[in-house]
Amino acid sequence: MNTPVSTVALSNKNRQKDAAIAVVSPQAMFDARLREIDRIGVAIGAPDWLIDELKRFKNIIKRSFRVRKNGGFELLTVIRVQHQNPNSTGKDPFKGGIRFHPGVTEELLRVLAMDMTFKCALANLPFGGAKGGIAIDPSQYSTLDLRDVVEQMTMELLKDRIPHPDIDVPAPDMGTNAEMMYWIENKVAEMNQYFSLIPNVPAAVTGKPVEEGGMPGREDATARGLLIQLDELLKLSGMQISPKRTTAVQGFGNVGGWAARLAESTFGLTISAVSDKNGGIYNANGVDMAAADRWHKEHGSFAGYPHADHITNAELLTLPVDILIPAALENQITAENANDIKALIVAEGANEGITAEAHPILRANGISVIPGIVANAGGVVVSFLEWSRNRGPRPHKTEHAQLLAEAHVELDTIMRDTLRGVWVASQECGCSLPDAAQRRAMEIIWKKLKRKHSYPD
Ligand code: NAD
């Protein structure tokens, strides 16, 4: 497993193409999302009111604030987009991550908030869809400066009653983590002491550290949920997970890192390639994940890792593997490179990892896709467990192992159920899994909104 390989099946043609994973603007992403709602709306005979609801946003909050940075000041803007909530807001909150990444824009957050609405509907969770973020690169901040960003952001959002367990519950996303969720919770608790804003502070934010009311199993839940669905899809397709199945994972953060580790250690797949934003490594005989993980922790990237060939992110996407897991940024598989994808199955760990134009190309080439609104729901599923548990009695540390076991069982049940529902819908409509997922999500929301607002039809 550990010998260097020189057999990377990449042509010079691919290497040249590599410089450019095509750039898709957030506005173009948003326009494409609206077109998809129209297209699927026609396919399912959706009433005009549903299309109108789904294209609008309940609330878009933007607030600017000052933070300390490197001894000086910086002016930042936090954006929180609340899409639609087919459940009762005030009882069933909006739900969605907070992203810290230079690419954050209002249009991008709109798309990601829409995805959350559909994702929660498909997994049958009592949440509306939201997303928030700040256009910063967190790696450029000291811990104390980053804490200042998170605390000032929280103070601004509190002016709009966010976070709140019944109104809007944030969670980690790209560039944010459990520690930052604790900083949010801690700031809210401090304010609550004076103003009694919130009935139940721990339930106002999920993805917290386990010692601070977080749910055991939340950290790797997105990756684990995705792998559970891969297992289910292979079974439904008459195949099996086995070490013969090779896998490439793009991104080595929360989703990608855990996907690669668990794929090898728990699900028995062979990891052929992994990457982070600086590039990746490939070994046709399998990457030794323990060694690669150690290297990444010690060096902060895969640069110099001796037991594999070094590849770019664009090369990783077109490797000859069975399973491809894009788990970094949006818009990685586009109309430009879709014809070069060789995997049999693509499981979208990243939200919007595949563009609308790339989907029909993958389908025409016989590639099965588990779309992000299905495949990466594991995080919000275990966030739901955390939110629910935070509203009840507080577990003692001695109960953590039992909670972890329960979380794994519930995650397994919900992820398999969701995948099977979409699979059956795809058989019924004779369409791809992504189309079936979008149809099913819109039908679920259609029913709920009809009841909520007594819409005709
Ligand atoms: P993260 O910040 O923990 O990790 C992101 C990873 O992507 C890092 O390894 C980074 O180096 C890499 N990366 C950044 N830019 C890249 C580029 N241009 N090319 C290749 N790799 C790049 O983020 P995360 O939480 O793992 O989120 C990744 C994706 O999964 C996002 O689309 C996010 O919305 C989605 N997602 C996350 C969760 C969750 O629970 N964290 C849940 C659902 C969906």
Side-chain angles (χ1 to χ4, degrees):
M1 288 274 264
N2 258 344
T3 45
V5 287
S6 53
T7 52
V8 183
L10 298 166
S11 65
N12 285 337
K13 188 170 139 241
N14 263 344
R15 281 192 182 273
Q16 262 144 40
K17 255 198 228 174
D18 181 53
I21 290 178
V23 177
V24 183
S25 75
Q27 184 64 51
M29 280 178 80
F30 181 55
D31 293 342
R33 204 73 184 84
L34 296 182
R35 283 197 301 276
E36 283 299 288
I37 289 174
D38 279 331
R39 183 176 71 83
I40 299 293
V42 169
I44 63 172
D48 290 347
W49 63 256
L50 179 65
I51 304 302
D52 201 11
E53 288 262 5
L54 291 176
K55 288 181 168 181
R56 286 181 197 236
F57 294 83
K58 193 70 187 170
N59 210 353
I60 298 178
I61 294 145
K62 271 189 186 180
R63 287 187 174 274
S64 297
F65 56 99
R66 268 160 305 284
V67 292
R68 287 189 301 266
K69 190 181 180 194
N70 301 330
F73 285 105
E74 187 184 24
L75 199 58
L76 297 177
T77 301
V78 59
I79 309 172
R80 182 70 173 174
V81 175
Q82 296 171 338
H83 177 224
Q84 291 298 337
N85 191 350
N87 312 289
S88 312
T89 316
K91 172 171 76 73
D92 302 330
F94 284 94
K95 190 89 189 73
I98 296 201
R99 179 177 290 204
F100 286 178
H101 187 272
V104 165
T105 66
E106 182 184 323
E107 289 73 26
L108 175 64
L109 295 176
R110 284 180 187 220
V111 174
L112 299 177
M114 288 167 139
D115 284 350
M116 280 303 289
T117 308
F118 300 129
K119 195 181 301 181
C120 292
L122 283 169
N124 205 7
L125 302 175
F127 298 139
K131 205 79 174 189
I134 305 179
I136 53 167
D137 177 353
S139 69
Q140 300 304 307
Y141 290 73
S142 69
T143 303
L144 277 184
D145 284 354
L146 203 50
R147 182 159 188 156
D148 193 41
V149 172
V150 171
E151 292 191 341
Q152 297 303 329
M153 172 193 80
T154 306
M155 291 300 286
E156 291 303 321
L157 290 175
L158 275 173
K159 294 173 187 168
D160 285 292
R161 308 203 73 193
I162 305 168
H164 189 295
D166 305 325
I167 296 172
D168 189 338
V169 180
D173 189 72
M174 204 165 192
T176 56
N177 58 26
E179 195 67 13
M180 296 183 199
M181 297 306 112
Y182 168 68
W183 295 342
I184 295 176
E185 182 199 27
N186 192 56
K187 194 73 199 165
V188 173
E190 190 186 323
M191 289 298 107
N192 216 39
Q193 182 182 352
Y194 301 108
F195 304 115
S196 292
L197 306 162
I198 290 176
N200 192 336
V201 173
V205 54
T206 61
K208 304 178 291 291
V210 173
E211 312 79 49
E212 306 297 342
M215 184 73 187
R218 171 61 181 89
E219 199 192 331
D220 67 18
T222 308
R224 188 180 292 273
L226 178 147
L227 293 165
I228 289 168
Q229 287 192 342
L230 254 178
D231 178 53
E232 191 65 23
L233 180 63
L234 283 168
K235 279 185 186 143
L236 287 166
S237 315
M239 295 187 262
Q240 267 182 359
I241 276 201
S242 86
K244 283 193 208 134
R245 298 260 166 236
T246 53
T247 306
V249 182
Q250 186 200 30
F252 206 65
N254 177 284
V255 183
W258 278 111
R261 276 175 227 121
L262 291 175
E264 192 205 46
S265 67
T266 309
F267 288 79
L269 291 161
T270 291
I271 295 294
S272 304
V274 284
S275 70
D276 71 3
K277 67 179 170 198
N278 302 306
I281 49 173
Y282 173 63
N283 186 329
N285 302 317
V287 172
D288 177 341
M289 277 314 301
D293 205 13
R294 237 184 351 263
W295 183 276
H296 196 270
K297 274 199 185 85
E298 281 165 21
H299 300 86
S301 78
F302 294 113
Y305 181 72
H307 308 301
D309 286 319
H310 289 263
I311 56 172
T312 64
N313 269 289
E315 286 169 338
L316 179 141
L317 296 171
T318 58
L319 285 173
V321 290
D322 296 316
I323 297 158
L324 175 63
I325 304 177
L329 283 180
E330 50 284 343
N331 302 323
Q332 296 302 293
I333 301 177
T334 68
E336 315 254 317
N337 63 359
N339 267 317
D340 300 325
I341 304 296
K342 298 173 193 73
L344 304 173
I345 299 177
V346 181
E348 226 181 350
N351 289 303
E352 302 289 332
I354 304 169
T355 64
E357 294 74 24
H359 273 292
I361 301 174
L362 296 179
R363 169 128 172 104
N365 292 343
I367 297 169
S368 295
V369 172
I370 314 181
I373 56 172
V374 181
N376 69 33
V380 70
V381 166
V382 178
S383 273
F384 163 71
L385 303 179
E386 181 173 334
W387 173 78
S388 307
R389 298 269 183 334
N390 285 161
R391 302 166 84 93
R394 202 161 170 169
H396 187 264
K397 192 168 180 236
T398 50
E399 295 167 67
H400 284 181
Q402 189 196 333
L403 279 179
L404 178 64
E406 283 171 22
H408 284 171
V409 170
E410 292 198 51
L411 180 67
D412 194 272
T413 306
I414 296 173
M415 295 307 286
R416 284 185 201 276
D417 253 26
T418 305
L419 192 274
R420 276 197 297 266
V422 172
W423 168 268
V424 169
S426 84
Q427 302 287 303
E428 283 169 5
C429 65
C431 55
S432 66
L433 290 174
D435 272 15
Q438 188 63 45
R439 287 170 82 120
R440 194 167 153 77
M442 283 174 62
E443 282 166 355
I444 292 168
I445 295 166
W446 180 352
K447 236 187 227 165
K448 285 186 163 230
L449 280 178
K450 183 167 149 49
R451 176 186 289 154
K452 182 173 179 181
H453 300 299
S454 298
Y455 273 117
D457 138 75

